[in-house]
Amino acid sequence: MARVYNWQIGREMSYWYPESRPKRQFAAVFDTNKCIACQTCTLACKTTWTSGKGQEYMLWNNVETKPYGSYPLAWDLELLEVLNGGRWNGRTYEGETIFESAPAGARVLSWRPAAEDYAYPNVGEDDCAGQVDGGAGFSLPHMAWFYYLARICNHCTYPACLASCPRGSIYKRPEDGIVLVDQGRCRGYQECVKGCPYKKVYFNPMTGTSEKCIACFPKVETGLQPQCFVNCIGKIRMAGYISRPEAARPDNPIDYLVHVRKVALPLYPQFGLEPNVYYIPPVHVPPAFLRQMFGPGVDDAIETYRNAPNDPDLAGLLALFGSSESVMMRWARRGDEIVGADDRGTPLVRVLMREPVHVRPAFDRLYQITRTNCP
Amino acid sequence: MQRVIGAVLVLGITAGASCQRAATVTPEVVAVRAAAVPEDPGDRAWQSVPEHVARLLVQDVVEPRLLQPSTPEVRVRAITDGSLIAFRLEWADAELNDRPGPGRFADGCAVQLPQKSAAPAPDPQMGQAGHGVQIAFWRADWQASVDGRGDSITDLYPNASIDHYPFDAPSLERGSETQTKMARRFAPADALGNRRGGLRSSAVEDLIAEGPGTLGPAPASVSRGRGVRTPTGWLVVIVRPVPDGLSPTSRTQVAFAVWEGSAEEAGSRKMRSGWAGLAMRGPS
């Protein structure tokens, strides 16, 4: 195994291949506080890519309710259990990653979901298990909170699917870091399905190969954001490219949120994959739970996010989410106006910090008539 | 109903065949000359052929390795007509695994031969650079497809629920170019000619390799075969052209591998043999 640097865990670690970062890395920020689990992203992906035979239970994009929901079933709990916790010392992870704790004969520490684990997406996640009389009647470890976690492939810097494939059928594109399964080479051994800790590679029983999120690369190549991003009703998502921390540019929206303001955090950084989808953590969830899921930066991230009303730059950038189908490589705030631009600085979209408010009284004094809301 | 009766007959025949052990057990695989090679695992011709017992080892050389042994041995017989050679592989397997799916793996077996018979023999682990091997690979789920299992998700998961396939829209003429094209859009492996699943006309695939991780399709499909389930395991016949170097006066090598689906064996997680001698016997 090679030694590589993983900035998310603040140290070098072991990986199957030497460090080889792409020219630029596709990345995304999801604001969990805005997600309403409408599943429009899920359907946008499904209708675009996975409507074929053998893809019926394949969700390259899914939204699950935390803490009890998961797809496939218990994807995160199963791995956390075998990983046996893990210690952080400040911003440095001192436990073992899934590469460093790989058992004999395997390239990563992993577990394999059964077919049944894919059978019930979202079923029962938001339901009460019984009658609740006279107020809260639950007696569960997590009482009166939940949130929605939208998930796609993380297009990791150190993908476990890629490391797991004995045939080299999975590759990371040097031009944008998107991780793909070569459908002409895959022989369906399912090592990647087992190896990916996020369980974002799916086996297709009809084609006999494994398939995964492709970050809508035909769109990304033309400067457009993926389908699950542009169809998001809640405008929770922004796609772009992330730099290494030492090369972060404040005018790059992703860099600003992840590196400069540190308000968006990786999902389970302790696994060691350096995932490239970053989450603004939910503000109402007990921090201990969030620290396990997003690492030690959670408390600062929530404080920064809560202060957004007094932070025009951060609030302004958050207003750019979902404002354009194009990938915004740069951004700037000029007073109350936020501009998203391409990599040459040409403006793509302008949004206002606050939408102008127009009050239309119910009673029209001019015509002495009460208005209705009929269109 | 006819298919069921046929299956029962085949099972009866093959069960009988597996009970009648060959009179001789040979230290190498001896292909006996005959007028024709039998493709049916239950053919009576197999009864008089000597048997070679290939001891299987765990593949523990390259990751991902198999650490727990499963199938201990495969019993091999061979018949040749001078241009074709048929291998019959028999092994014990308590559980039928012929349905693909996440976390599901099919039973399988393979016959490996050196691409060229010149010494030294390639590495028995899939060959090596410049010294390739050719492999005929049989899989139980492909056999199920050849034997008539349908090509829908409910053939694999009877309780699966499907809302809609866009290529099944009433507005599209079934079998039309437009409809086929749309279906292929959602099956990229098929579109690239990488037929790992779906409907098949053969349960055997021809492959070549020059070392672990290099397995790829052979330039031409030359092998065929058939596997049947017995009460105790599998009987599989693989028929292919006589390999380079095998004649009444010269010999070559052959190796075998078995994948046990219930043990999640696939790819390099397998039980495999070393090289065994392969000779031809009988009138030329």
Side-chain angles (χ1 to χ4, degrees):
Chain A
M1 284 227 247
R3 295 295 291 172
V4 298
Y5 186 73
N6 181 334
W7 66 262
Q8 292 178 355
I9 60 172
R11 66 170 173 86
E12 280 195 337
M13 63 168 205
S14 297
Y15 184 63
W16 193 255
Y17 298 107
E19 186 167 345
S20 173
R21 289 178 183 264
K23 248 180 260 175
R24 60 183 185 178
Q25 174 62 58
F26 172 84
V29 171
F30 291 3
D31 186 349
T32 59
N33 297 285
K34 293 182 186 172
C35 182
I36 57 169
C38 64
Q39 305 285 359
T40 310
C41 50
T42 307
L43 290 181
C45 176
K46 192 111 196 85
T47 52
T48 307
W49 300 115
T50 61
S51 289
K53 287 185 173 180
Q55 298 177 317
E56 294 84 355
Y57 288 75
M58 191 182 288
L59 299 173
W60 290 357
N61 179 105
N62 78 294
V63 184
E64 57 202 42
T65 307
K66 289 298 177 195
Y68 295 112
S70 52
Y71 187 81
L73 195 65
W75 66 268
D76 45 358
L77 301 180
E78 292 274 5
L79 190 64
L80 287 169
E81 188 144 319
V82 290
L83 195 59
N84 198 21
R87 303 172 309 279
W88 288 90
N89 182 1
R91 298 298 167 95
T92 303
Y93 179 63
E94 293 184 337
E96 287 187 321
T97 67
I98 64 168
F99 305 110
E100 293 161 338
S101 52
R107 295 180 178 181
V108 301
L109 176 73
S110 59
W111 68 283
R112 188 190 299 287
E116 295 73 21
D117 294 333
Y118 296 92
Y120 309 102
N122 295 119
V123 173
E125 289 185 3
D126 294 344
D127 298 346
C128 284
Q131 182 106 14
V132 180
D133 292 324
F138 282 179
S139 56
L140 297 169
H142 309 297
M143 286 293 287
W145 59 269
F146 64 89
Y147 67 100
Y148 301 121
L149 188 70
R151 302 202 302 121
I152 61 172
C153 167
N154 289 295
H155 298 280
C156 304
T157 304
Y158 304 112
C161 59
L162 188 154
S164 300
C165 180
R167 291 179 50 72
S169 302
I170 300 182
Y171 61 104
K172 187 168 175 65
R173 305 208 308 181
E175 63 268 38
D176 54 19
I178 290 173
V179 177
L180 299 175
V181 179
D182 182 342
Q183 291 297 311
R185 184 164 173 76
C186 174
R187 288 184 61 84
Y189 299 157
Q190 302 189 44
E191 294 292 341
C192 53
V193 178
K194 187 180 181 195
C196 171
Y198 305 103
K199 295 293 173 261
K200 276 295 171 189
V201 191
Y202 298 86
F203 180 70
N204 181 328
M206 308 309 286
T207 62
T209 57
S210 296
E211 301 172 359
K212 66 179 286 298
C213 159
I214 60 172
C216 291
F217 70 81
K219 291 190 75 182
V220 167
E221 286 172 1
T222 60
L224 299 176
Q225 299 191 59
Q227 291 290 73
C228 57
F229 289 69
V230 301
N231 285 282
C232 176
I233 301 297
K235 301 185 177 183
I236 80 156
R237 302 180 181 215
M238 175 173 276
Y241 298 91
I242 191 166
S243 313
R244 289 188 58 158
E246 64 272 21
R249 283 180 20 207
D251 66 343
N252 171 336
I254 306 293
D255 279 359
Y256 186 80
L257 294 167
V258 175
H259 292 314
V260 178
R261 304 307 304 273
K262 297 180 169 52
V263 73
L265 305 167
L267 182 62
Y268 291 117
Q270 65 268 40
F271 293 169
L273 286 73
E274 210 185 285
N276 287 303
V277 175
Y278 297 83
Y279 292 88
I280 299 176
V283 297
H284 62 291
V285 171
F289 183 90
L290 295 177
R291 280 184 215 118
Q292 176 180 252
M293 182 169 274
F294 300 113
V298 157
D299 301 84
D300 290 346
I302 289 178
E303 189 181 336
T304 303
Y305 186 79
R306 279 192 183 280
N307 192 43
N310 310 310
D311 187 340
D313 283 340
L314 179 59
L317 179 50
L318 293 173
L320 266 188
F321 278 50
S323 64
S324 169
E325 187 172 16
S326 298
V327 175
M328 287 166 276
M329 306 290 286
R330 296 188 192 179
W331 75 286
R333 182 177 69 86
R334 296 189 186 96
D336 275 353
E337 185 185 70
I338 320 299
V339 181
D342 64 17
D343 50 3
R344 291 184 299 276
T346 310
L348 294 164
V349 64
R350 295 172 195 275
V351 297
L352 294 172
M353 289 273 285
R354 288 179 180 78
E355 293 288 334
V357 176
H358 301 280
V359 178
R360 192 166 177 254
F363 185 75
D364 188 326
R365 291 186 185 279
L366 181 64
Y367 296 105
Q368 291 293 301
I369 191 168
T370 300
R371 293 175 170 131
T372 69
N373 284 328
C374 293
Chain B
M1 180 54 91
Q2 278 181 337
R3 185 177 293 157
V4 172
I5 292 169
V8 169
L9 281 174
V10 166
L11 278 178
I13 291 166
T14 53
S18 60
C19 289
Q20 293 181 14
R21 289 274 167 244
T24 51
V25 174
T26 51
E28 61 182 2
V29 179
V30 177
V32 174
R33 292 292 297 252
V37 292
E39 202 167 323
D40 182 354
D43 194 295
R44 296 182 70 83
W46 292 110
Q47 292 180 12
S48 55
V49 175
E51 186 168 77
H52 169 75
V53 181
R55 305 285 173 206
L56 299 176
L57 311 162
V58 288
Q59 189 296 110
D60 58 357
V61 179
V62 295
E63 265 98 5
R65 290 178 279 160
L66 185 67
L67 301 179
Q68 294 295 324
S70 55
T71 311
E73 63 182 32
V74 58
R75 311 179 82 88
V76 183
R77 303 180 191 197
I79 295 175
T80 178
D81 64 2
S83 61
L84 295 174
I85 184 167
F87 296 94
R88 194 186 78 168
L89 281 64
E90 180 182 11
W91 72 95
D93 178 5
E95 185 178 330
L96 167 66
N97 300 100
D98 69 349
R99 289 176 189 273
R104 289 178 174 179
F105 297 88
D107 299 325
C109 68
V111 175
Q112 176 183 280
L113 296 152
Q115 229 160 10
K116 294 194 175 101
S117 67
D123 191 314
Q125 280 271 84
M126 314 290 287
Q128 65 209 78
H131 296 274
V133 293
Q134 46 192 331
I135 295 166
F137 177 45
W138 171 91
R139 239 170 58 178
D141 56 331
W142 296 345
Q143 186 66 57
S145 173
V146 171
D147 291 344
R149 187 167 67 200
D151 183 31
S152 74
I153 195 71
T154 47
D155 288 304
L156 301 176
Y157 298 95
N159 297 321
S161 159
I162 304 109
D163 297 329
H164 166 70
Y165 297 117
F167 40 85
D168 278 350
S171 57
L172 291 169
E173 187 188 338
R174 191 158 283 277
S176 66
E177 191 185 337
T178 312
Q179 197 238 1
T180 309
K181 205 171 158 188
M182 187 181 276
R184 280 205 153 186
R185 197 178 299 158
F186 294 105
D190 283 357
L192 287 167
N194 185 19
R195 295 280 301 158
R196 314 304 314 152
L199 292 178
R200 300 184 73 88
S201 57
S202 172
V204 178
E205 179 182 45
D206 285 291
L207 301 159
I208 52 172
E210 288 194 352
T214 66
L215 191 68
S221 295
V222 294
S223 303
R224 57 183 193 269
R226 181 161 175 244
V228 292
R229 187 77 186 152
T230 71
T232 55
W234 283 104
L235 267 181
V236 177
V237 168
I238 292 175
V239 181
R240 49 149 295 134
V242 167
D244 179 47
L246 181 62
S247 75
T249 57
S250 64
R251 64 186 56 213
T252 182
Q253 291 89 18
V254 63
F256 306 95
V258 170
W259 288 263
E260 171 50 55
S262 64
E264 300 184 356
E265 291 174 11
S268 62
R269 296 184 200 268
K270 66 187 175 192
M271 297 296 292
R272 46 94 192 185
S273 76
W275 288 119
L278 174 60
M280 193 184 282
R281 193 179 75 190
S284 55

